[in-house]
Amino acid sequence: MRLEDALFNWLQIQIVANARPDDHAAADTRDFFLEILTEDHHVENLHIHKVDDTMIHLRYDKDGRAKLQMIPRESGEQLLQDINENPKYN
């Protein structure tokens, strides 16, 4: 899995896990993507640094260097929106 894809997947499920703290499947999936990021891509200290009107800013360290990945907010929040709009998951 490409680094950018793993970051995006981690972000989406992190947002879901934050919004649904009792959703153990979301937490397990978040941990799975974090494992891919740490083991396959050597990412450390990954966190959501900032959310503004249009972007979500991810900060992390890779190969001893600080990195920033910006993801459109609408895309990052889409999974949570889809879950909330589907009564099957509520």
Side-chain angles (χ1 to χ4, degrees), residues 25-75:
D28 290 345
T29 305
R30 175 203 57 214
D31 294 346
F32 169 75
F33 284 112
L34 186 58
E35 184 176 317
I36 289 172
L37 287 162
T38 57
E39 292 183 7
D40 296 353
H41 298 287
H42 311 289
V43 167
E44 299 176 326
N45 304 317
L46 175 61
H47 63 280
I48 298 171
H49 172 70
K50 176 179 156 183
V51 178
D52 62 31
D53 290 341
T54 61
M55 302 298 272
I56 299 172
H57 305 242
L58 300 180
R59 292 258 186 209
Y60 61 95
D61 298 325
K62 180 172 170 47
D63 302 326
R65 301 182 71 185
K67 302 283 189 174
L68 170 67
Q69 177 76 35
M70 294 175 34
I71 296 174
R73 184 174 178 177
E74 185 175 328
S75 298

